[in-house]
Amino acid sequence: MNSNIDANGIIFIRNSDIRYDNRMRKALSESIDFGLKPIVLGWVRDDGNKPNKNQKVNGKPFLAKYFMLKSRFGGGLRNIFRLIAFNLWILKTIIAHRKSYKLIYVCDLDVSFPAIIVKLFFKKKIVYDIFDFYAHTHSMPRILKKVVEKTEYGICKLSDEVIVCTEKRKAMLENMTGISPHIIYNTPNIKEVLFKPNFANSAERNIFSIVYVGTLSASGRLLLEITEQIKNVSGIEFHIAGIGPLDNYFKKTADSFDNIFFYGQITNDAALDMQANADILFATYDPSQEINRNSAPNKVYEAMALGKPIIVCKGTDADLVVTKNESGYSINYDVKEFMQIVDIYKNNNVIKEEHAINALQLYRDHYNWSVCQNRLHNIFNDIYQK
């Protein structure tokens, strides 16, 4: 190894603000625990203040560099020139720091090309963590979709290690490329002793709390429909956090109705605190959309770890897990069915507790973070020992 290269350096690249990215922060934290020295490259799109370059994850310090350029949420091709500018900034930055790292950990197809260039010219290693297959999460013509799919498969083949988040995606990638990726679930890294099923809060206040933390999509998640049903309903509170097209809607609704609460974008710790105080969670994604059928929502795994029942939709991967393990209910993509399940949980504490206990046991037996932690450390070990 070249003595001028920092043997323990690692670059993380994400096309968003990693301060609010749970999956990235878990990998980042594990890299530090493994003994690596990370530099994180991200993009602040909301025209806010530039974050401090010295940041921490779980109390552990790391260096962060941010590209500051306002970009419309979900803007698609309208953001193409901003995206090109971000890629050029990434390329310039990782070349400038080329003696400070051995591995690039990249999480998005649309920012993977600078990493590939540097790998080929400077013999760096790449871990490609596929949060979602790009062609499945972006609207595009069918012909272009095929090109994007082949491009992403090509990036996988050029990477030294590939990570996906479900067994289904692993099988898909093996079938299309012959590559056998690692599975890192979207499960939270929390200590079980801190979170136990707790039903006293709602009983004491005589309030049933529903919590949603995530992307505030205008369609495809029943968010509007559920909110309209819950407005001014006695005995039920709806707590929402996140960012997206429905920001202004939830701000106005929370100002107008006493049982609707909106918190905007929050940290991972705050999200877990919110969900730990909920009676139920939900991840009701429209199965008519391809990405929703193959999704692996953080909320499903967080519900397990926190011991919370969850409502999901039939025809999705989450449906299979929740139904099989009786850790919640699966419904059609229909707000009336959703409210019927809310009534069941609200009026039957025995069912709610049974589903909560099943969820927590499922986390302990199959989806606890220690499994993913070991897999990440093995990936780092294989790369840094070569």
Side-chain angles (χ1 to χ4, degrees), residues 53-192:
K53 65 178 182 179
N54 297 309
Q55 296 184 12
K56 291 183 178 181
V57 56
N58 298 330
K60 294 167 285 192
F62 66 92
L63 180 65
K65 293 178 177 290
Y66 283 102
F67 183 69
M68 305 297 296
L69 182 62
K70 189 173 182 179
S71 174
R72 181 175 176 178
F73 186 91
L77 289 176
R78 285 169 291 187
N79 289 328
I80 187 65
F81 294 109
R82 295 177 177 87
L83 181 60
I84 292 172
F86 181 43
N87 272 267
L88 292 174
W89 176 83
I90 292 171
L91 183 60
K92 177 183 176 181
T93 305
I94 60 179
I95 289 177
H97 287 272
R98 63 188 181 278
K99 294 184 178 181
S100 301
Y101 64 91
K102 178 178 181 180
L103 173 63
I104 303 173
Y105 193 112
V106 64
C107 304
D108 306 281
L109 175 64
D110 55 9
V111 291
S112 64
F113 303 105
I116 294 298
I117 292 171
V118 170
K119 171 186 171 67
L120 297 177
F121 281 92
F122 298 101
K123 299 182 180 179
K124 302 299 181 181
K125 302 291 185 180
I126 294 179
V127 168
Y128 184 41
D129 190 345
I130 305 175
F131 287 23
D132 290 296
F133 287 108
Y134 198 86
H136 298 172
T137 58
H138 295 76
S139 178
M140 62 187 74
R142 182 173 296 182
I143 295 177
L144 180 58
K145 180 177 179 179
K146 294 295 183 182
V147 173
V148 171
E149 285 180 338
K150 289 182 178 179
T151 300
E152 186 151 31
Y153 296 147
I155 296 295
C156 291
K157 291 178 180 179
L158 288 170
S159 298
D160 297 275
E161 303 286 354
V162 178
I163 297 173
V164 293
C165 59
T166 68
E167 285 81 1
K168 183 175 181 179
R169 295 185 189 186
K170 174 182 171 72
M172 183 188 306
L173 196 58
E174 286 177 336
N175 180 57
M176 298 304 298
T177 67
I179 295 171
S180 183
H182 305 271
I183 300 175
I184 303 295
Y185 299 114
N186 285 334
T187 188
N189 180 16
I190 58 178
K191 304 298 183 184
E192 293 178 0

Side-chain angles (χ1 to χ4, degrees), residues 188-218:
N189 180 16
I190 58 178
K191 304 298 183 184
E192 293 178 0
V193 295
L194 297 178
F195 300 99
K196 297 291 183 182
N198 182 351
F199 309 100
N201 185 48
S202 59
E204 290 174 358
R205 297 173 57 230
N206 198 29
I207 294 293
F208 187 86
S209 296
I210 303 171
V211 169
Y212 175 89
V213 181
T215 303
L216 306 180
S217 301

Side-chain angles (χ1 to χ4, degrees), residues 153-364:
Y153 296 147
I155 296 295
C156 291
K157 291 178 180 179
L158 288 170
S159 298
D160 297 275
E161 303 286 354
V162 178
I163 297 173
V164 293
C165 59
T166 68
E167 285 81 1
K168 183 175 181 179
R169 295 185 189 186
K170 174 182 171 72
M172 183 188 306
L173 196 58
E174 286 177 336
N175 180 57
M176 298 304 298
T177 67
I179 295 171
S180 183
H182 305 271
I183 300 175
I184 303 295
Y185 299 114
N186 285 334
T187 188
N189 180 16
I190 58 178
K191 304 298 183 184
E192 293 178 0
V193 295
L194 297 178
F195 300 99
K196 297 291 183 182
N198 182 351
F199 309 100
N201 185 48
S202 59
E204 290 174 358
R205 297 173 57 230
N206 198 29
I207 294 293
F208 187 86
S209 296
I210 303 171
V211 169
Y212 175 89
V213 181
T215 303
L216 306 180
S217 301
S219 62
R221 301 198 178 190
L222 284 182
L223 289 176
L224 279 171
E225 296 87 341
I226 291 170
T227 307
E228 293 298 318
Q229 289 289 318
I230 293 176
K231 287 178 178 178
N232 275 341
V233 174
S234 177
I236 298 179
E237 291 179 350
F238 187 21
H239 299 259
I240 311 105
I243 58 172
L246 291 181
D247 279 60
N248 289 332
Y249 166 80
F250 281 116
K251 288 175 185 176
K252 293 178 181 177
T253 304
D255 288 340
S256 302
F257 296 89
D258 291 338
N259 67 330
I260 307 293
F261 301 85
F262 179 59
Y263 305 91
Q265 188 173 34
I266 60 176
T267 65
N268 181 47
D269 288 343
L272 291 173
D273 284 343
M274 271 185 64
Q275 292 173 109
N277 288 304
D279 285 291
I280 64 167
L281 308 178
F282 69 94
T284 48
Y285 295 178
D286 185 355
S288 69
Q289 299 176 13
E290 182 180 19
I291 180 165
N292 292 338
R293 293 194 298 273
N294 300 318
S295 67
N298 291 343
K299 288 178 281 295
V300 174
Y301 299 94
E302 289 164 354
M304 296 176 195
L306 297 170
K308 300 295 176 181
I310 190 167
I311 303 175
V312 298
C313 279
K314 295 177 181 178
T316 64
D317 284 358
D319 168 23
L320 303 177
V321 174
V322 170
T323 303
K324 178 181 178 181
N325 296 282
E326 297 184 353
S327 58
Y329 281 108
S330 183
I331 63 170
N332 291 310
Y333 186 73
D334 182 88
V335 71
K336 291 182 179 179
E337 287 192 30
F338 180 91
M339 295 306 299
Q340 289 170 359
I341 300 303
V342 168
D343 285 339
I344 290 174
Y345 280 130
K346 187 173 183 291
N347 298 313
N348 194 322
N349 201 58
V350 173
I351 291 178
K352 187 176 75 167
E353 186 168 357
E354 286 179 353
H355 286 184
I357 291 172
N358 290 343
L360 190 57
Q361 194 62 48
L362 184 59
Y363 176 80
R364 288 170 172 164

